[in-house]
Amino acid sequence: MQNPHLKIDLAKVEANTKYVVDLAAQAGIEIMGVTKAVTANLAVARAMLAGGVSGLADSRLENLEHLRNGLELTNHPLMLLRIPMLSEVEEVVLLAEISLNSELKVIKALNQAALQLGVKHEIILMVDLGDRREGAMVSQVLPLVREIDKLTAIKLRGLGTNFACFGGVLPTTENMELLANLQQEIREHFNLDLTVISGGNSSSLPRLKKQGLPAHITELRVGETILLGSNVVTGESFFGTKQDAFLLGAEIIELKSKPAQPAGPRGPNAFGEETTIHQQGLRQRAILGIGRQDIAVGGITPILSGVELVGGSSDHLIIDVTESKRKLEVGDTIYFRLDYGGLLRAMTSEYVAVTYQQN
Ligand SMILES: *Cc1c(COP(=O)(O)O)cnc(C)c1O
């Protein structure tokens, strides 16, 4: 086994997807599977498709290209999540059937690119309902739609919004009804049917499950809850899903009894931080062959009980194993759960191998 490695249980990814897809389907909502946290890993994307997502979405064109080249995608569109750069409109039109947009200048350039290539490109117009990341302000939506309506190679597929991405704003009846009202107004003023309301990400799922979402929502774009089984609103697990589809394994390269407290005059560490260690006395300490180049130290949690993460530098991770019930040795692999940031970093690191759980 190559170390460090990320072990992916594809059956769990598929089961999580199916759970989310079925939950949404009861409310007439389709799920786009978001692959950005796994750098569009093809096996994970296939598991999402097998679980029933209606399409795949990613924020980066390199990832969409990877999906486009690696999968048979006859009935499943690819969606670009990050609003496009003006400098990449040709690739957007080539690689994605759908993109999320908020800038008229870019939408016009997409139209130009689509005309040149002789294709149609669908867009979802993003509306900022308070989270303050991308999206047109509500008052600007109708004027924008008037301009978009003139572009012959662009099809306005619908309206979309984001929650809990930047400002941490959560979906409420009020902010989601704003989208319904806009949709209604657009239908009245223009000859557009706007079939899609793309109403958010994983942060909309707890509400969907508890009290339902407003009836006009037709689509959610979901990554985190499918991959990690998390309830992103409470930080706990999302009931009905598995939390261990992804496990990070790293190998013990030193195991010694050492005083917990550093000795000698102290300054900041290699990352400019002052470290404080709360333990005292002699402790059983292990060093793992993985570091901050590969993982976010705050984004991983050891699964073996009694193991505590102490800290890390670029290439070393220090854990305290004094309370471990299992006897550990140099050469053993220690496994961690990951949060979204932890997963993203580990998948992006070239030094972390990807392996698959054999079921
Ligand atoms: C990342 C992203 C998502 C998916 O978010 P999750 O929290 O992983 O479900 C949805 N929409 C947009 C625009 C995104 O950038």
Side-chain angles (χ1 to χ4, degrees), residues 18-319:
K18 192 167 185 319
Y19 184 82
V20 170
V21 165
D22 289 348
L23 178 71
Q26 287 166 27
I29 294 172
E30 295 192 355
I31 299 292
M32 294 292 285
V34 175
T35 54
K36 69 189 182 201
V38 292
T39 61
N41 174 289
L42 292 179
V44 171
R46 278 192 204 100
M48 286 182 172
L49 290 170
V53 296
S54 50
L56 296 169
D58 203 289
S59 47
R60 300 197 180 232
L61 284 173
E62 292 88 338
N63 289 354
L64 291 184
E65 187 171 22
H66 186 59
L67 294 171
R68 174 74 63 213
N69 293 337
L71 300 173
E72 288 286 332
L73 288 162
T74 36
N75 293 316
H76 297 94
L78 292 183
M79 173 190 273
L80 179 65
L81 290 173
R82 183 170 65 191
I83 51 173
M85 301 180 205
L86 201 51
S87 59
E88 66 185 10
V89 289
E90 282 87 8
E91 288 91 336
V92 174
V93 169
L94 274 175
L95 294 170
E97 279 86 5
I98 310 160
S99 59
L100 307 184
N101 283 273
S102 66
E103 287 288 353
L104 185 59
K105 187 173 179 183
V106 176
I107 299 169
K108 283 182 171 169
L110 285 169
N111 182 58
Q112 239 11 76
L115 282 174
Q116 257 154 32
L117 289 162
V119 295
K120 279 241 171 197
H121 184 69
E122 300 194 12
I123 66 167
I124 289 182
L125 182 60
M126 295 300 278
V127 183
D128 181 351
L129 295 181
D131 197 52
R132 302 291 179 253
R133 206 179 71 182
E134 76 275 39
M137 299 305 288
V138 171
S139 62
Q140 292 305 306
V141 171
L142 262 77
L144 263 173
V145 171
R146 179 163 297 117
E147 295 304 312
I148 294 167
D149 197 25
K150 296 175 188 160
L151 306 174
T152 51
I154 295 291
K155 177 169 190 280
L156 182 60
R157 188 169 179 256
L159 301 176
T161 197
N162 256 316
F163 293 108
C165 273
F166 173 65
V169 169
L170 296 177
T172 62
T173 311
E174 294 74 45
N175 57 26
M176 282 193 283
E177 301 239 297
L178 281 173
L179 275 191
N181 296 342
L182 282 171
Q183 181 185 32
Q184 195 52 40
E185 277 186 68
I186 291 167
R187 282 179 174 161
E188 280 163 18
H189 286 81
F190 304 94
N191 186 22
L192 291 168
D193 63 354
L194 294 203
T195 49
V196 172
I197 298 284
S198 192
N201 52 23
S202 291
S203 67
S204 293
L205 292 173
R207 192 185 168 87
L208 167 65
K209 188 161 180 172
K210 218 163 121 199
Q211 71 227 76
L213 294 174
H216 57 276
I217 306 270
T218 64
E219 170 185 289
L220 295 174
R221 311 171 304 268
V222 177
E224 181 163 355
T225 301
I226 287 176
L227 299 170
L228 296 174
S230 37
N231 177 327
V232 302
V233 176
T234 62
E236 289 157 14
S237 43
F238 194 72
F239 183 79
T241 61
K242 303 266 190 248
Q243 285 70 52
D244 55 355
F246 295 82
L247 290 177
L248 177 72
E251 186 172 326
I252 299 181
I253 55 176
E254 182 189 286
L255 180 66
K256 291 184 194 304
S257 186
K258 289 191 183 185
Q261 292 297 326
R266 296 179 66 195
N269 67 15
F271 293 87
E273 306 153 347
E274 309 278 345
T275 44
T276 43
I277 293 153
H278 63 85
Q279 288 153 336
Q280 300 290 337
L282 267 189
R283 307 287 301 179
Q284 194 66 9
R285 283 287 186 75
I287 300 178
L288 305 177
I290 190 169
R292 294 207 202 178
Q293 189 160 10
D294 318 297
I295 43 135
V297 175
I300 64 172
T301 313
I303 54 173
L304 185 63
S305 85
V307 173
E308 195 183 329
L309 211 160
V310 179
S313 55
S314 309
D315 310 296
H316 300 76
L317 192 73
I318 300 165
I319 59 174

